[in-house]
Amino acid sequence: MNKRILQVVTEHEAVGRGRVLVVDDDAFNRDLMDRRLTREGFVAVAVADGQAALDLLDVQPFDLVLLDLIMPGIDGRAVLEAIRATRSAAELPVIMLTSMDDGESIAECFRVGANDYVTKPFKVGALVARLDTHIARNRAETALKQAHEELERRVEQRTLALRQANAELIEAQNILAEALEAIDDGFVLWDANDRLVACNQRYRQLFGDAAAEVVQGARFRDLMRLQATTGLIVDARGRVEQWLAETIDRHANPGIPFEEALADGKWVRITESRSANGRVVGLYTDITEIKRREAALKEFAETNRQLAAAVNATSSAVLITDPRQPDNPIVFANPAFTAMTGWPVEEVIGRNRKILAGPQTDMNELVKLEVAIRQRRSAKAELCLHARDGRPFWAEVSASPIRDNDGVVSNWVIIQSDITARRETEEALFQSQKMEVIGQLSGGMAHDFNNLLTIVLGNLEFALGNEALRDEEIIGQLKVAMDAGRRGAELAKRMLAFARRQTVTPKITDLGRTVEGLRELLRRSLGSEYTIQTETEDDVWPVLVDRGQLENAILNLAVNARDAMPGGGSLTIDVANRRLDCATDVGGQPIPTGEYVCVGVSDTGHGMDPEVARQAVQPFFTTKEPGKGTGLGLSMVYGFLSQFGGYLSLESTPGRGTRIELWLPRKEAELDRESTESASEPSGGHERVLLVDDEPDVRAVAALQLKRLGYEVVEADDAHQALVLLDDGESFDLLITDIALPGGMSGIDLAVAARTRKSDVPVLYVSGYADAGPEPGVNADKSTQFLAKPYDGALLADAVRRALGDG
């Protein structure tokens, strides 16, 4: 929210019912209106003529104008026309005041844009009601318009993303079609209306001689009936309608995989899942061999020795339960079960397998598994189980029934495979993908923010450079706004760094000077209730680091420390040279032996227990309440240190505070001392410049800056318009172009095309992305320069002279 909007919102909150501008040449009426409106809770500002009203509207926000129709000089109708022509006040509600019931004049005012009129004399209550109505309507319409504009922007972004996704989808469909035929399982896809979308040949083979009926658009119900009536499904024989109803119901609410016996003696396991768009994916896996193994196991059920020998040979945990006994107890467990869970075999015999459930076990998945067992169906589930000592682990659990000669389930075989490592890998991948998405979003937001800051800082610079400006208070406020804009630019830079769209600029740095330079910023950021101490060792070794990212990391740690001390406390930052030997960082990673500079950040806050401390650097982990933290701060600090060969350690005790240490390796180099020379005045010229930018306000600021430097400026809003100017014979000494341009032609493409027309034309690229310049080697000469947004007049002037060969 920029300063102007913030000012208006703050004033709306302060004035209550609204700010009203009263325009009336009669002093008595003005005074009367002022007092009456003030008494009703409005803030009223009264002026005597139309010109004064227009001047006031240019500098102050109002919610409504009460405008006298008949006035000397500029009458009410002319003032109304001027208001509607003014961009900042075009939507402002205007109520005309008249002492004459002149229908034609009033109708003319409505045609020009009046919202209402009141005939003098009037009742205060009626007037107040109209004021409330128009002010409320205008505020609502303004909010709706802003929301609509935001929606349009998001729709445009989504459209671009969908266009790219569509191209990728076509390619993926071609790959998918080949892949479907290559897999060993039958595959089928149904749309939301249960009509066939796609399937492979193995699925068609399930229909035997009727495979020709399996075509795109065929209904699920019809194909299932075809299988049942032709005798292809063993379970459907003699009960076609019942089997069909069960199959349709199961298809409508897909869940645990189920099995079907086929007429040719084969078995298939059918796994169906429904996506958010209503489509259903079916996978038909040939489990004939599995069934044969189960049959073989049943044959040897009476021979416990042979069964135990076979099961004990596997590395997976195996349980056999007896459903004929109450609570289906465990009657056999192999050694792998003991190794996996810590439960001795003799202690689990006779118990229910639910002894492995714990606080982190998904009860819904466990219930699904139990339902399948009660229904005598094979099932699989992935569950977080708990060993005897409480240690959680992930297991893939497969439950299969063992049937006797009469088809009655006599035992259940439950196989557990430890998949903890696989789950951890999947979770790491998921977190990485979330970080990538947030990075892309942050980069896009910072790019747009840089465009806005270019406009804000440029206009503030013009205002401060206006020699007619003498009001010291206004000058001070403008300087505060300029400082805020520059801090905004630093924020955008950090967002780009997080999104990996910001070029990292490591330099040899004195960490002691860096920390001392942050004292004032930390004091202002934390507040007066916090004591800040810095302790710096003499002759701190130099390190190689990006100073801006380091300052951001320290500030991040300081803010975390402040949140850990809600009632106030002490923050200490110390810098010292250290030699590390056999040390480890917060993640347990060994730190190479060597010389390091340590920056320690200590607080007197509530501290963390060991479990919280262990997870503190994981992305998205936070102990703050919802809405108070992202869980990204400490993980970003950890990642930043890794970029420069550094490490992070953390010590914390509940109730006694936390100490975080940043370790950066010593560099044998001279410190990069900052220059104290004052910047020279920006120099200009008289060359002819072609300025290309699709943002009108950004282009206007740049054009004004260039013109003030003496350049002749010709503007274009995209690459195609710029090329038309070049093709018409226009000659330019310099091309300044934004890199991201609409119309399918970027600024880099424009520069290449321009140089085919004039090979020696210099190019200055500008962009809201700090690393968005041309690839290395593309026109890599002194006449090709890059300038990151936001920029001020001095930076622009310097970049132009360098591009023209004077820098």
Side-chain angles (χ1 to χ4, degrees), residues 331-362:
V331 295
F332 173 85
N334 69 343
F337 176 82
T338 299
M340 182 181 296
T341 67
W343 281 94
V345 173
E346 60 272 15
E347 292 189 27
V348 298
I349 299 299
R351 289 177 176 245
N352 187 281
R353 65 197 175 283
K354 294 178 184 178
I355 58 173
L356 299 180
Q360 299 180 41
T361 303
D362 187 335

Side-chain angles (χ1 to χ4, degrees), residues 671-796:
L671 288 171
D672 184 16
R673 306 296 181 183
E674 296 180 359
S675 173
T676 59
E677 298 180 4
S678 59
S680 60
E681 288 295 323
S683 60
H686 300 286
E687 288 85 353
R688 198 161 188 257
V689 177
L690 175 56
L691 175 63
V692 186
D693 198 305
D694 62 306
E695 289 285 345
D697 292 336
V698 175
R699 192 172 67 247
V701 169
L704 185 54
Q705 288 172 325
L706 291 168
K707 290 175 182 177
R708 288 194 173 186
L709 292 169
Y711 297 103
E712 180 184 351
V713 182
V714 177
E715 300 179 37
D717 57 15
D718 61 22
H720 301 289
Q721 184 179 355
L723 291 178
V724 169
L725 293 172
L726 292 171
D727 290 337
D728 287 343
E730 296 272 5
S731 178
F732 300 97
D733 300 301
L734 174 65
L735 169 63
I736 302 178
T737 178
D738 190 16
I739 291 180
L741 294 174
M745 193 173 190
S746 69
I748 297 175
D749 297 331
L750 170 60
V752 173
R755 284 184 167 175
T756 62
R757 292 159 172 78
K758 185 180 179 181
S759 60
D760 59 347
V761 63
V763 178
L764 173 59
Y765 294 107
V766 293
S767 176
Y769 289 121
D771 65 345
E775 295 293 331
V778 178
N779 298 329
D781 54 52
K782 292 183 179 180
S783 65
T784 301
Q785 298 293 326
F786 174 74
L787 179 62
K789 298 176 184 176
Y791 51 79
D792 57 22
L795 289 173
L796 177 61

Side-chain angles (χ1 to χ4, degrees), residues 410-430:
S410 58
N411 292 97
W412 281 91
V413 176
I414 300 174
I415 302 174
Q416 292 179 181
S417 300
D418 192 327
I419 58 169
T420 304
R422 191 195 80 191
R423 293 283 300 212
E424 290 176 348
T425 302
E426 291 173 349
E427 178 66 18
L429 176 61
F430 176 65

Side-chain angles (χ1 to χ4, degrees), residues 387-407:
R388 189 184 187 188
D389 60 3
R391 172 184 55 85
F393 67 94
W394 278 93
E396 183 179 66
V397 180
S398 174
S400 299
I402 300 176
R403 303 177 186 273
D404 58 21
N405 293 332
D406 297 325

Side-chain angles (χ1 to χ4, degrees), residues 213-246:
E213 301 295 327
V214 185
V215 296
Q216 188 174 12
R219 295 197 310 168
F220 175 83
R221 175 188 296 271
D222 296 339
L223 291 182
M224 294 303 101
R225 181 178 293 278
L226 179 64
Q227 277 192 321
T229 56
T230 53
L232 294 173
I233 304 297
V234 173
D235 194 37
R237 294 173 180 173
R239 52 187 294 270
V240 170
E241 295 302 327
Q242 183 180 353
W243 177 88
L244 185 61
E246 293 171 353

Side-chain angles (χ1 to χ4, degrees), residues 290-332:
I290 296 176
K291 284 295 183 179
R292 288 174 181 171
R293 287 195 295 271
E294 291 177 355
L297 184 62
K298 183 182 64 176
E299 292 175 2
F300 289 97
E302 300 301 325
T303 311
N304 291 329
R305 182 187 61 81
Q306 293 180 355
L307 175 63
V311 175
N312 288 341
T314 181
S315 60
S316 297
V318 178
L319 296 174
I320 297 179
T321 67
D322 187 353
R324 295 167 295 186
Q325 298 184 41
D327 204 26
N328 192 15
I330 298 171
V331 295
F332 173 85

Side-chain angles (χ1 to χ4, degrees), residues 24 60 86 92 165 194 199 325 330 356 371 401 489 513 620 702 753:
D24 197 319
Q60 291 190 28
T86 301
L92 193 63
D194 286 335
C199 67
Q325 298 184 41
I330 298 171
L356 299 180
V371 169
R513 291 179 59 197
F620 304 101

